[in-house]
Amino acid sequence: MSIRTRLTWQFTIIVTSILVLFFAFIYFFYADFRKEEYYSRLNTKALTTARLLIEVQEIDHDLLKIIDKNAVNVLHNEKVVIYDQNNSLIYSSTDDRELHIDTSTIQKIRKQGRVEWVHQMNETLGITYDEGNTHYVIIASAFDVYGRRKVVNLRFILVACTLLGIAITFIAGRLFAGQALRPIANINQQVSGIGGDNLDSRVDEGDAKDEIAQLAINFNKMLNRIASAFALQKNFVHNASHELRTPLAAMISQLQVGLAKERTEEEYKNLLNSVLEDAERMKGLSNGLLELAQAEADKMGIRMQPVRIDEVLFSSQRDVLKANKERSVELAFSELPDQEEALIVMANEGMLRTLFINLIDNACKFSPDSKAVVSIAFANTKVLLSFNDNGIGIPAEEQDKIFMPFYRSDNARQFRGHGLGLSICKRIVKLHGGEIHVKSEPGAGSTFEVELPNT
Ligand code: ADP
């Protein structure tokens, strides 16, 4: 069931319930009022008849009958009977319409003083009337033709009003629900037209004030994020193929030139060395891409285990120095923690080593003295590592871009690299629930700070 139909029905049910409740109250209140009013008229009639017969000497049984029949306010189907204390009928207003009253009813009236009941559709009232030592019982009965007709009429009006009310509420509810949901229907239509080829389209944000406009704004924000992720992805493929093509093109042209004519042994050696250099560059790039792909993998697939951070740092230091003896890596522990647990992080050891080697490598690579200083400190629940150098530094406007794949700052172009190391580092840190930041000043050096949660 659509929201519009559901809202319409809910609205109709609520209004119908209110209408029925109020109309029922009006109907029963009015019907009760009619009954009470009619019984009070019967009461007056009964008392008047009794007083005329019992208290007024000049009026006898026959005269009272004549008066009763000719009164202007005579009620429809009216009949009044009076019984004396022996329960003998002493007066009956008419002879033709019999009012059958048994002795038990008369006794009940005597006992209760006043009894109301309906006898063959006629409202009937029995009361007691005392004159001296004589206790009379008067019973008046009549049919409330006008009152009952009014009640039937009122019932008809109320039922008609209820039905009309339901119809109007349903139509109005449907119109209002349609109007209220129109902006959502519009957004729905616009969203269904957005795909990979028109990611720059945005949905209409309306007056930017109500909840639906807020939904459109948030949806547009999400589209912005998707579009930039999409662009990044496109860029990545473009950059990766470009980076692979350059050394490949260099290798092919060198080999073509080398094969063009006979060369000396020395020339062949130089050629092979140059091709080897390019092949190693390609190996470095494909290793970087592989590491990035591994770091991009789902966290669930990565084996995490308790790892002593100082041990991984020492082994990373050894690896860097083994690869290039001219570099120097200094490890500075501010103060050792009281408990060994502070040194332990839940991590994938291989990834942690890749992270440290990349950061140490960069610090050495971009510094004239080829020196990296790594310091380690401990906070309450974290291990804080900083990789410091006195190198070329990074311009402020490029500091948040260097974590994107293939991004290299202008002042780093003279150094070897593909611009993948830091994006791998960022992903590894994220996988371990940590954070990475850079502080740097061009010409003065850089510090990369890594925070990792410990056990
Ligand atoms: P690569 O080192 O291969 O260029 P990275 O992703 O490791 O790629 O680094 C991206 C860029 O960040 C570098 O090209 C360089 O511009 C900058 N950068 C990284 N580390 C340093 C550093 N220690 N000193 C100065 N610049 C750095």
Side-chain angles (χ1 to χ4, degrees), residues 28-265:
F28 288 113
F29 188 75
Y30 184 80
D32 196 53
F33 171 75
R34 179 208 63 83
K35 215 165 75 183
E36 291 230 329
E37 202 239 342
Y38 201 66
Y39 277 118
S40 118
R41 285 177 71 184
L42 283 176
N43 193 41
T44 314
K45 182 76 205 171
L47 285 176
T48 314
T49 310
R51 272 190 202 127
L52 285 174
L53 183 75
I54 299 161
E55 290 176 16
V56 185
Q57 298 298 320
E58 293 80 10
I59 300 179
D60 66 359
H61 185 272
D62 295 327
L63 182 58
L64 186 57
K65 248 188 200 174
I66 295 167
I67 295 171
D68 264 347
K69 267 186 201 150
N70 295 292
V72 242
N73 60 348
V74 67
L75 302 171
H76 186 81
N77 211 8
E78 178 189 299
K79 186 165 176 81
V80 181
V81 289
I82 302 177
Y83 293 90
D84 65 9
Q85 59 191 7
N86 300 322
N87 295 346
S88 312
L89 183 69
I90 58 164
Y91 174 74
S92 175
S93 62
T94 51
D95 302 324
D96 46 343
R97 291 186 299 275
E98 264 305 315
L99 185 60
H100 296 287
I101 308 294
D102 49 34
T103 330
S104 65
T105 311
I106 299 171
Q107 289 304 350
K108 193 175 164 193
I109 297 166
R110 284 194 196 286
K111 214 163 141 200
Q112 294 180 8
R114 179 187 170 103
V115 177
E116 293 171 359
W117 75 99
V118 177
H119 177 75
Q120 292 172 350
M121 294 291 284
N122 291 352
E123 267 87 14
T124 310
L125 172 74
I127 53 169
T128 52
Y129 185 85
D130 298 341
E131 173 64 30
N133 287 329
T134 321
H135 307 295
Y136 297 96
V137 166
I138 315 155
I139 295 163
S141 165
F143 183 72
D144 184 10
V145 64
Y146 301 113
R148 281 175 185 264
R149 211 177 282 162
K150 278 185 204 161
V151 171
V152 170
N153 201 29
L154 178 72
R155 191 168 57 206
F156 173 76
I157 292 171
L158 294 180
V159 169
C161 283
T162 307
L163 294 178
L164 199 70
I166 293 172
I168 292 173
T169 313
F170 186 83
I171 294 167
R174 208 164 162 74
L175 287 176
F176 279 123
Q179 210 172 18
L181 294 172
R182 190 163 306 135
I184 293 188
N186 287 343
I187 291 180
N188 210 357
Q189 199 182 5
Q190 290 170 40
V191 169
S192 56
I194 299 176
D197 48 348
N198 62 342
L199 263 182
D200 51 338
S201 308
R202 295 291 175 267
V203 296
D204 186 8
E205 293 180 359
D207 62 359
K209 282 185 192 140
D210 59 20
E211 290 84 347
I212 294 170
Q214 209 54 47
L215 177 77
I217 291 170
N218 283 335
F219 191 81
N220 281 344
K221 280 186 190 159
M222 190 186 76
L223 275 179
N224 288 342
R225 290 195 294 271
I226 292 176
S228 60
F230 213 64
L232 213 70
Q233 189 71 22
K234 262 190 189 164
N235 237 354
F236 182 87
V237 176
H238 175 88
N239 286 329
S241 41
H242 179 79
E243 287 288 320
L244 279 171
R245 212 172 50 185
T246 314
L248 261 181
M251 284 159 79
I252 290 169
S253 73
Q254 286 174 85
L255 291 172
Q256 279 172 339
V257 171
L259 288 172
K261 60 177 175 125
E262 202 64 33
R263 306 274 170 188
T264 64
E265 195 180 327

Side-chain angles (χ1 to χ4, degrees), residues 358-359 361-367 387 389 391-395 398 401-413 415-425 438 440 445-448:
N358 271 335
L359 292 173
D361 242 352
N362 276 355
C364 297
K365 181 167 71 177
F366 294 112
S367 310
F387 300 80
D389 65 64
I392 57 169
I394 306 155
E398 293 186 275
K401 297 185 189 149
I402 54 172
F403 294 98
M404 293 194 307
F406 297 109
Y407 191 88
R408 308 196 76 214
S409 63
D410 280 340
N411 61 350
R413 301 240 180 258
F415 299 89
R416 285 210 154 178
H418 302 286
L420 285 177
L422 284 183
S423 48
I424 295 169
C425 290
V438 62
S440 181
S446 312
T447 302
F448 283 84

